Amino acid sequence: MNDHNTVSTDVLIVGGGPGGLSMAIELANRLREKGVEKKIMLIEKGSEIGSHILSGAVIRPKVFRDLLSEDEYDKFPFDSRVEGDDVVMKLSANTVTKLPFHPPYMSNEGNYIASLGQICKYLAEIAQDKGVEIYTGFSVDEMMYENGKIVGIKTKDTGVDRHGVKQKNYQQGTMVEASITVLAEGSRGSLIQKMIDRHDLEGENHQIYSLGVKELWSVPEGSIKSGAVYHTFGYPLNDKEEFGGGFIYGLSDNRVALGLVVGLDYKDPSFDIHAAMQIWKSHPEISKFIDGGKILEFGAKTLPEGGWYSIPKYYDDNLMIVGDSAGFLSTPRLKGVHLAVRSGICAAQAAVEALISEDTSEKSLARYEELVNDSFIYKELYPTRNMRAVMHDGMLIGGFKIGMQLLTGGSCLLRVPHMKEDCNTTQRVALFKRLPFAERFKGKLEFDGALTFDKVTSVYHSKTAHDEMQPSHLVVKDSVQFQRSNIEKYGLPEASFCPAEVYELHVGKGDKRSLRLHPENCVHCKTCDIKSPNCGIEWTVPYGGNGPEYTYM
């Protein structure tokens, strides 16, 4: 790695989300306590910290008290304390039933509604005050090796046109050497996938995901109380066919955060989660919260939902993985922020010991796993290890199996369904025997531009922008197979499941069908990398600073 375009650090963190930033803060604190000077660097691909961050988000605050000083915690940018968290609604097409009880794990007493992007901005300020170097607008697309061991990363080359030709503004990426490289890329990180394959880190089960589509609205005064929390299940999702539900959160200043989250293990090749959310918003029990309002922002992200058995090995020689990248998310609680923060704290504690002993080997960093297993990460995730899997059986049988697990500490005496990768659950058009999405919701897919929106309008509200001259960051792995399979047999499901109209099915003369790709629309949810049949699409990082520009998501 002797190169003029190389910099060095002791710890490099890739990703400016809650896991990466929490590790940076905890690491800086502990090194200072021990009087040890080490360099900590964090690289974020967004144009600024928070611009690529999206979450519901209802936050469990206690973990931040463990991370921050009293003064730092007192200035924390929570939006609203949860009030009246007692409504879970089952929707049908025209009716609503309010559950007379609160489902286990879903209580939000003592929690806060917040913008995770704003939280990350605040954590970044704290980290920088402690000496952490933070660089935004840099994408990382390659891990660097010496003698088969990770020794750092390389940022993405820029100034290359769509044909791969270097232009006058070409800039070679920078290599960053580090004793420990921490991957905090969020859900389905592109580097993580390479590490899992190369280092055989995959968990006992495949990871499975949901896609969450979210909007932020400004609404007339009195539409919703600040701190109000509502969750829904049922319509427009079919039991046993789609898993998921909706959320409505009341924010300060007459704003509402709402969204629909759907598991990506559904079978219908034409199912469209973005359109399903628009239909969900049209239900009178939902539309009443936003009638007369104005949309402020739109975004989408995936969530790792496989649970404890889907968590990969999250350390190796000179490598650690934190947060959503490691699959630390509680599906029953619909939360992962507190787990990401705790994983960052645990990783920092293990890293301090490794740095002081000058041993960053796999054996040394195994201390991270010990700390995770002694923390509430294990206490939350292990007892709920089978809860997502049994929901393949639907609300009735799945709910019964969850009840059994509550009594047995997570064991399920009945068969636990095997979880396939989401890319293998979609059925071919000819084999799918139920109504396709467009027929199922016939008459409800004309969006009015006031309450409901098409994908292009939604992308506008995400403030997404890309350098359109760069090579596409969405890679069709095998164009011949993609044509024969994904287009001819599956009907290009990418056009349906992508929430940003990146994939377009073009029908030409003689009914010849082909793919038209619009990577400039991409909101970086990575659903295509997860759900595309035959794993036909690979999501890679575009130029640094490209993508959505979220403000309060």
Side-chain angles (χ1 to χ4, degrees), residues 307-332:
W308 185 258
Y309 289 138
S310 296
I311 294 172
K313 182 183 174 187
Y314 40 86
Y315 61 92
D316 201 28
D317 291 321
N318 310 332
L319 174 71
M320 307 177 89
I321 306 172
V322 300
D324 274 5
S325 290
F328 292 131
L329 183 137
S330 172
T331 301

PDB file of all heavy atoms in Angstrom, residues 307-332:
ATOM      1  N   GLY A 307     -33.382 -11.595  12.431  1.00  0.00           N
ATOM      2  CA  GLY A 307     -33.239 -11.879  13.850  1.00  0.00           C
ATOM      3  C   GLY A 307     -31.923 -12.562  14.191  1.00  0.00           C
ATOM      4  O   GLY A 307     -30.975 -12.600  13.401  1.00  0.00           O
ATOM      5  N   TRP A 308     -31.860 -13.101  15.394  1.00  0.00           N
ATOM      6  CA  TRP A 308     -30.617 -13.599  15.981  1.00  0.00           C
ATOM      7  C   TRP A 308     -29.890 -14.602  15.085  1.00  0.00           C
ATOM      8  O   TRP A 308     -28.671 -14.529  14.923  1.00  0.00           O
ATOM      9  CB  TRP A 308     -30.899 -14.240  17.337  1.00  0.00           C
ATOM     10  CG  TRP A 308     -29.668 -14.664  18.066  1.00  0.00           C
ATOM     11  CD1 TRP A 308     -29.165 -15.925  18.188  1.00  0.00           C
ATOM     12  CD2 TRP A 308     -28.754 -13.803  18.765  1.00  0.00           C
ATOM     13  NE1 TRP A 308     -28.001 -15.908  18.916  1.00  0.00           N
ATOM     14  CE2 TRP A 308     -27.731 -14.626  19.298  1.00  0.00           C
ATOM     15  CE3 TRP A 308     -28.705 -12.422  19.008  1.00  0.00           C
ATOM     16  CZ2 TRP A 308     -26.676 -14.105  20.043  1.00  0.00           C
ATOM     17  CZ3 TRP A 308     -27.658 -11.919  19.754  1.00  0.00           C
ATOM     18  CH2 TRP A 308     -26.659 -12.750  20.249  1.00  0.00           C
ATOM     19  N   TYR A 309     -30.621 -15.528  14.477  1.00  0.00           N
ATOM     20  CA  TYR A 309     -29.976 -16.568  13.682  1.00  0.00           C
ATOM     21  C   TYR A 309     -29.486 -16.054  12.328  1.00  0.00           C
ATOM     22  O   TYR A 309     -28.761 -16.761  11.620  1.00  0.00           O
ATOM     23  CB  TYR A 309     -30.924 -17.744  13.463  1.00  0.00           C
ATOM     24  CG  TYR A 309     -31.182 -18.563  14.718  1.00  0.00           C
ATOM     25  CD1 TYR A 309     -32.459 -19.015  15.026  1.00  0.00           C
ATOM     26  CD2 TYR A 309     -30.149 -18.887  15.584  1.00  0.00           C
ATOM     27  CE1 TYR A 309     -32.701 -19.772  16.171  1.00  0.00           C
ATOM     28  CE2 TYR A 309     -30.381 -19.625  16.736  1.00  0.00           C
ATOM     29  CZ  TYR A 309     -31.653 -20.069  17.021  1.00  0.00           C
ATOM     30  OH  TYR A 309     -31.886 -20.824  18.162  1.00  0.00           O
ATOM     31  N   SER A 310     -29.865 -14.851  11.955  1.00  0.00           N
ATOM     32  CA  SER A 310     -29.419 -14.274  10.687  1.00  0.00           C
ATOM     33  C   SER A 310     -28.260 -13.298  10.847  1.00  0.00           C
ATOM     34  O   SER A 310     -27.765 -12.758   9.856  1.00  0.00           O
ATOM     35  CB  SER A 310     -30.589 -13.558   9.989  1.00  0.00           C
ATOM     36  OG  SER A 310     -31.601 -14.463   9.640  1.00  0.00           O
ATOM     37  N   ILE A 311     -27.836 -13.070  12.080  1.00  0.00           N
ATOM     38  CA  ILE A 311     -26.726 -12.155  12.318  1.00  0.00           C
ATOM     39  C   ILE A 311     -25.431 -12.816  11.852  1.00  0.00           C
ATOM     40  O   ILE A 311     -25.132 -13.955  12.228  1.00  0.00           O
ATOM     41  CB  ILE A 311     -26.626 -11.796  13.811  1.00  0.00           C
ATOM     42  CG1 ILE A 311     -27.860 -10.983  14.230  1.00  0.00           C
ATOM     43  CG2 ILE A 311     -25.351 -11.013  14.108  1.00  0.00           C
ATOM     44  CD1 ILE A 311     -27.943 -10.741  15.717  1.00  0.00           C
ATOM     45  N   PRO A 312     -24.645 -12.145  11.007  1.00  0.00           N
ATOM     46  CA  PRO A 312     -23.376 -12.733  10.567  1.00  0.00           C
ATOM     47  C   PRO A 312     -22.344 -12.673  11.686  1.00  0.00           C
ATOM     48  O   PRO A 312     -22.549 -12.023  12.715  1.00  0.00           O
ATOM     49  CB  PRO A 312     -22.980 -11.834   9.396  1.00  0.00           C
ATOM     50  CG  PRO A 312     -23.537 -10.494   9.776  1.00  0.00           C
ATOM     51  CD  PRO A 312     -24.857 -10.795  10.465  1.00  0.00           C
ATOM     52  N   LYS A 313     -21.244 -13.352  11.485  1.00  0.00           N
ATOM     53  CA  LYS A 313     -20.098 -13.141  12.366  1.00  0.00           C
ATOM     54  C   LYS A 313     -19.646 -11.699  12.151  1.00  0.00           C
ATOM     55  O   LYS A 313     -19.368 -11.295  11.025  1.00  0.00           O
ATOM     56  CB  LYS A 313     -18.979 -14.118  12.022  1.00  0.00           C
ATOM     57  CG  LYS A 313     -17.765 -13.999  12.928  1.00  0.00           C
ATOM     58  CD  LYS A 313     -16.679 -14.953  12.473  1.00  0.00           C
ATOM     59  CE  LYS A 313     -15.407 -14.743  13.289  1.00  0.00           C
ATOM     60  NZ  LYS A 313     -14.276 -15.531  12.757  1.00  0.00           N
ATOM     61  N   TYR A 314     -19.582 -10.906  13.205  1.00  0.00           N
ATOM     62  CA  TYR A 314     -19.413  -9.471  13.047  1.00  0.00           C
ATOM     63  C   TYR A 314     -18.024  -8.970  13.470  1.00  0.00           C
ATOM     64  O   TYR A 314     -17.854  -7.815  13.851  1.00  0.00           O
ATOM     65  CB  TYR A 314     -20.514  -8.705  13.792  1.00  0.00           C
ATOM     66  CG  TYR A 314     -20.888  -9.266  15.151  1.00  0.00           C
ATOM     67  CD1 TYR A 314     -20.200  -8.905  16.289  1.00  0.00           C
ATOM     68  CD2 TYR A 314     -21.950 -10.163  15.275  1.00  0.00           C
ATOM     69  CE1 TYR A 314     -20.538  -9.411  17.528  1.00  0.00           C
ATOM     70  CE2 TYR A 314     -22.304 -10.690  16.506  1.00  0.00           C
ATOM     71  CZ  TYR A 314     -21.584 -10.316  17.633  1.00  0.00           C
ATOM     72  OH  TYR A 314     -21.924 -10.835  18.853  1.00  0.00           O
ATOM     73  N   TYR A 315     -17.040  -9.834  13.343  1.00  0.00           N
ATOM     74  CA  TYR A 315     -15.648  -9.431  13.554  1.00  0.00           C
ATOM     75  C   TYR A 315     -14.748 -10.429  12.830  1.00  0.00           C
ATOM     76  O   TYR A 315     -15.126 -11.570  12.545  1.00  0.00           O
ATOM     77  CB  TYR A 315     -15.297  -9.408  15.048  1.00  0.00           C
ATOM     78  CG  TYR A 315     -15.439 -10.762  15.712  1.00  0.00           C
ATOM     79  CD1 TYR A 315     -14.352 -11.638  15.796  1.00  0.00           C
ATOM     80  CD2 TYR A 315     -16.659 -11.188  16.206  1.00  0.00           C
ATOM     81  CE1 TYR A 315     -14.481 -12.886  16.364  1.00  0.00           C
ATOM     82  CE2 TYR A 315     -16.805 -12.432  16.779  1.00  0.00           C
ATOM     83  CZ  TYR A 315     -15.711 -13.282  16.856  1.00  0.00           C
ATOM     84  OH  TYR A 315     -15.853 -14.540  17.408  1.00  0.00           O
ATOM     85  N   ASP A 316     -13.555  -9.991  12.502  1.00  0.00           N
ATOM     86  CA  ASP A 316     -12.537 -10.823  11.867  1.00  0.00           C
ATOM     87  C   ASP A 316     -11.208 -10.110  12.093  1.00  0.00           C
ATOM     88  O   ASP A 316     -11.162  -9.094  12.797  1.00  0.00           O
ATOM     89  CB  ASP A 316     -12.848 -11.010  10.376  1.00  0.00           C
ATOM     90  CG  ASP A 316     -12.161 -12.235   9.783  1.00  0.00           C
ATOM     91  OD1 ASP A 316     -11.910 -13.203  10.514  1.00  0.00           O
ATOM     92  OD2 ASP A 316     -11.873 -12.227   8.581  1.00  0.00           O
ATOM     93  N   ASP A 317     -10.146 -10.610  11.525  1.00  0.00           N
ATOM     94  CA  ASP A 317      -8.874  -9.909  11.662  1.00  0.00           C
ATOM     95  C   ASP A 317      -9.013  -8.469  11.189  1.00  0.00           C
ATOM     96  O   ASP A 317      -9.381  -8.204  10.037  1.00  0.00           O
ATOM     97  CB  ASP A 317      -7.792 -10.602  10.828  1.00  0.00           C
ATOM     98  CG  ASP A 317      -7.397 -11.963  11.381  1.00  0.00           C
ATOM     99  OD1 ASP A 317      -7.310 -12.099  12.616  1.00  0.00           O
ATOM    100  OD2 ASP A 317      -7.179 -12.889  10.572  1.00  0.00           O
ATOM    101  N   ASN A 318      -8.774  -7.527  12.092  1.00  0.00           N
ATOM    102  CA  ASN A 318      -8.760  -6.090  11.787  1.00  0.00           C
ATOM    103  C   ASN A 318     -10.114  -5.549  11.331  1.00  0.00           C
ATOM    104  O   ASN A 318     -10.186  -4.451  10.789  1.00  0.00           O
ATOM    105  CB  ASN A 318      -7.720  -5.769  10.689  1.00  0.00           C
ATOM    106  CG  ASN A 318      -6.360  -6.360  10.964  1.00  0.00           C
ATOM    107  OD1 ASN A 318      -5.983  -6.557  12.120  1.00  0.00           O
ATOM    108  ND2 ASN A 318      -5.610  -6.645   9.913  1.00  0.00           N
ATOM    109  N   LEU A 319     -11.179  -6.292  11.580  1.00  0.00           N
ATOM    110  CA  LEU A 319     -12.512  -5.921  11.070  1.00  0.00           C
ATOM    111  C   LEU A 319     -13.569  -6.046  12.148  1.00  0.00           C
ATOM    112  O   LEU A 319     -13.599  -7.022  12.902  1.00  0.00           O
ATOM    113  CB  LEU A 319     -12.889  -6.833   9.901  1.00  0.00           C
ATOM    114  CG  LEU A 319     -14.305  -6.673   9.330  1.00  0.00           C
ATOM    115  CD1 LEU A 319     -14.428  -5.353   8.576  1.00  0.00           C
ATOM    116  CD2 LEU A 319     -14.649  -7.851   8.420  1.00  0.00           C
ATOM    117  N   MET A 320     -14.489  -5.045  12.189  1.00  0.00           N
ATOM    118  CA  MET A 320     -15.667  -5.109  13.062  1.00  0.00           C
ATOM    119  C   MET A 320     -16.866  -4.584  12.274  1.00  0.00           C
ATOM    120  O   MET A 320     -16.723  -3.740  11.386  1.00  0.00           O
ATOM    121  CB  MET A 320     -15.449  -4.271  14.331  1.00  0.00           C
ATOM    122  CG  MET A 320     -14.173  -4.599  15.076  1.00  0.00           C
ATOM    123  SD  MET A 320     -13.879  -3.551  16.515  1.00  0.00           S
ATOM    124  CE  MET A 320     -14.734  -4.467  17.780  1.00  0.00           C
ATOM    125  N   ILE A 321     -18.051  -5.094  12.620  1.00  0.00           N
ATOM    126  CA  ILE A 321     -19.287  -4.697  11.948  1.00  0.00           C
ATOM    127  C   ILE A 321     -20.299  -4.303  13.019  1.00  0.00           C
ATOM    128  O   ILE A 321     -20.477  -5.026  14.008  1.00  0.00           O
ATOM    129  CB  ILE A 321     -19.855  -5.852  11.089  1.00  0.00           C
ATOM    130  CG1 ILE A 321     -18.794  -6.370  10.118  1.00  0.00           C
ATOM    131  CG2 ILE A 321     -21.089  -5.404  10.336  1.00  0.00           C
ATOM    132  CD1 ILE A 321     -19.202  -7.630   9.369  1.00  0.00           C
ATOM    133  N   VAL A 322     -20.976  -3.165  12.836  1.00  0.00           N
ATOM    134  CA  VAL A 322     -21.907  -2.670  13.855  1.00  0.00           C
ATOM    135  C   VAL A 322     -23.257  -2.317  13.230  1.00  0.00           C
ATOM    136  O   VAL A 322     -23.390  -2.162  12.018  1.00  0.00           O
ATOM    137  CB  VAL A 322     -21.332  -1.429  14.591  1.00  0.00           C
ATOM    138  CG1 VAL A 322     -20.024  -1.762  15.286  1.00  0.00           C
ATOM    139  CG2 VAL A 322     -21.136  -0.267  13.620  1.00  0.00           C
ATOM    140  N   GLY A 323     -24.267  -2.194  14.092  1.00  0.00           N
ATOM    141  CA  GLY A 323     -25.574  -1.676  13.698  1.00  0.00           C
ATOM    142  C   GLY A 323     -26.340  -2.557  12.742  1.00  0.00           C
ATOM    143  O   GLY A 323     -26.258  -3.784  12.773  1.00  0.00           O
ATOM    144  N   ASP A 324     -27.121  -1.909  11.856  1.00  0.00           N
ATOM    145  CA  ASP A 324     -27.907  -2.636  10.864  1.00  0.00           C
ATOM    146  C   ASP A 324     -27.033  -3.499   9.959  1.00  0.00           C
ATOM    147  O   ASP A 324     -27.482  -4.513   9.431  1.00  0.00           O
ATOM    148  CB  ASP A 324     -28.694  -1.649   9.988  1.00  0.00           C
ATOM    149  CG  ASP A 324     -30.027  -1.253  10.586  1.00  0.00           C
ATOM    150  OD1 ASP A 324     -30.307  -1.669  11.737  1.00  0.00           O
ATOM    151  OD2 ASP A 324     -30.791  -0.534   9.920  1.00  0.00           O
ATOM    152  N   SER A 325     -25.792  -3.091   9.754  1.00  0.00           N
ATOM    153  CA  SER A 325     -24.882  -3.884   8.932  1.00  0.00           C
ATOM    154  C   SER A 325     -24.731  -5.289   9.484  1.00  0.00           C
ATOM    155  O   SER A 325     -24.547  -6.253   8.736  1.00  0.00           O
ATOM    156  CB  SER A 325     -23.504  -3.217   8.856  1.00  0.00           C
ATOM    157  OG  SER A 325     -23.551  -2.033   8.099  1.00  0.00           O
ATOM    158  N   ALA A 326     -24.798  -5.414  10.805  1.00  0.00           N
ATOM    159  CA  ALA A 326     -24.689  -6.716  11.454  1.00  0.00           C
ATOM    160  C   ALA A 326     -26.056  -7.365  11.698  1.00  0.00           C
ATOM    161  O   ALA A 326     -26.118  -8.484  12.216  1.00  0.00           O
ATOM    162  CB  ALA A 326     -23.940  -6.582  12.779  1.00  0.00           C
ATOM    163  N   GLY A 327     -27.131  -6.671  11.349  1.00  0.00           N
ATOM    164  CA  GLY A 327     -28.467  -7.239  11.546  1.00  0.00           C
ATOM    165  C   GLY A 327     -29.022  -7.060  12.938  1.00  0.00           C
ATOM    166  O   GLY A 327     -29.951  -7.773  13.346  1.00  0.00           O
ATOM    167  N   PHE A 328     -28.494  -6.083  13.682  1.00  0.00           N
ATOM    168  CA  PHE A 328     -28.986  -5.851  15.043  1.00  0.00           C
ATOM    169  C   PHE A 328     -30.277  -5.038  14.994  1.00  0.00           C
ATOM    170  O   PHE A 328     -30.269  -3.804  15.123  1.00  0.00           O
ATOM    171  CB  PHE A 328     -27.933  -5.123  15.875  1.00  0.00           C
ATOM    172  CG  PHE A 328     -26.706  -5.946  16.163  1.00  0.00           C
ATOM    173  CD1 PHE A 328     -25.436  -5.427  15.953  1.00  0.00           C
ATOM    174  CD2 PHE A 328     -26.815  -7.233  16.648  1.00  0.00           C
ATOM    175  CE1 PHE A 328     -24.300  -6.174  16.219  1.00  0.00           C
ATOM    176  CE2 PHE A 328     -25.680  -8.000  16.926  1.00  0.00           C
ATOM    177  CZ  PHE A 328     -24.424  -7.465  16.698  1.00  0.00           C
ATOM    178  N   LEU A 329     -31.399  -5.718  14.816  1.00  0.00           N
ATOM    179  CA  LEU A 329     -32.707  -5.066  14.769  1.00  0.00           C
ATOM    180  C   LEU A 329     -33.748  -5.996  15.381  1.00  0.00           C
ATOM    181  O   LEU A 329     -33.741  -7.202  15.128  1.00  0.00           O
ATOM    182  CB  LEU A 329     -33.089  -4.712  13.337  1.00  0.00           C
ATOM    183  CG  LEU A 329     -34.418  -3.953  13.186  1.00  0.00           C
ATOM    184  CD1 LEU A 329     -34.279  -2.808  12.191  1.00  0.00           C
ATOM    185  CD2 LEU A 329     -35.533  -4.891  12.723  1.00  0.00           C
ATOM    186  N   SER A 330     -34.629  -5.430  16.190  1.00  0.00           N
ATOM    187  CA  SER A 330     -35.694  -6.197  16.833  1.00  0.00           C
ATOM    188  C   SER A 330     -36.993  -6.012  16.049  1.00  0.00           C
ATOM    189  O   SER A 330     -37.622  -4.953  16.123  1.00  0.00           O
ATOM    190  CB  SER A 330     -35.885  -5.733  18.278  1.00  0.00           C
ATOM    191  OG  SER A 330     -37.023  -6.343  18.849  1.00  0.00           O
ATOM    192  N   THR A 331     -37.387  -7.034  15.300  1.00  0.00           N
ATOM    193  CA  THR A 331     -38.627  -6.941  14.518  1.00  0.00           C
ATOM    194  C   THR A 331     -39.857  -6.806  15.407  1.00  0.00           C
ATOM    195  O   THR A 331     -40.736  -5.986  15.114  1.00  0.00           O
ATOM    196  CB  THR A 331     -38.759  -8.164  13.597  1.00  0.00           C
ATOM    197  OG1 THR A 331     -37.623  -8.206  12.727  1.00  0.00           O
ATOM    198  CG2 THR A 331     -40.013  -8.074  12.755  1.00  0.00           C
ATOM    199  N   PRO A 332     -39.984  -7.571  16.507  1.00  0.00           N
ATOM    200  CA  PRO A 332     -41.182  -7.396  17.347  1.00  0.00           C
ATOM    201  C   PRO A 332     -41.320  -5.992  17.913  1.00  0.00           C
ATOM    202  O   PRO A 332     -42.428  -5.482  18.065  1.00  0.00           O
ATOM    203  CB  PRO A 332     -40.986  -8.426  18.469  1.00  0.00           C
ATOM    204  CG  PRO A 332     -40.035  -9.426  17.912  1.00  0.00           C
ATOM    205  CD  PRO A 332     -39.143  -8.670  16.991  1.00  0.00           C
TER     206      PRO A 332
END
